[in-house]
Amino acid sequence: MTFVQLIEYETDRPEELDKIFDQWMKDTEGKRTVMHEMHGQDRDKPAHFVDIVEFPSYEAAMENSKLPGTQKNAERVRELCTSEPRFVNLEVKREDIKQK
């Protein structure tokens, strides 16, 4: 069953975070278990961001979390946040697909 993780955080240094995310992509190439990832910025609160990360399972998410590249870059992300990131772990119970 698909697993989705929401990561909420606030920063006043989004350009620096983008560089860290790019480095994470390089560091975890061929190793990461992420299926799909989106970074969103709150239109009403520009310093508020939400990342939506999709994995094939909870176990795959935990495997991804343990990668050295994930650990290293997660610490760098925390340093650029104005408060501790909030993680929401979701088991997908239903998924509806829009017909074209």
Side-chain angles (χ1 to χ4, degrees), residues 10-55:
E10 294 194 6
T11 185
D12 54 5
R13 298 161 68 181
E15 296 83 11
E16 292 176 64
L17 277 179
D18 276 343
K19 291 177 184 174
I20 294 172
F21 295 143
D22 290 343
Q23 185 62 50
W24 175 79
M25 293 290 287
K26 290 177 187 173
D27 291 348
T28 61
E29 183 70 37
K31 301 174 210 146
R32 64 180 170 272
T33 60
V34 173
M35 295 170 35
H36 186 216
E37 182 172 13
M38 293 183 287
H39 298 280
Q41 183 176 20
D42 190 325
R43 293 177 67 96
D44 299 321
K45 291 174 55 183
H48 180 238
F49 294 82
V50 177
D51 293 352
I52 303 166
V53 190
E54 182 180 0
F55 297 91

Side-chain angles (χ1 to χ4, degrees), residues 80-92:
L80 297 178
C81 290
T82 56
S83 61
E84 185 66 20
R86 177 178 175 254
F87 293 82
V88 179
N89 298 310
L90 304 169
E91 291 288 347
V92 176

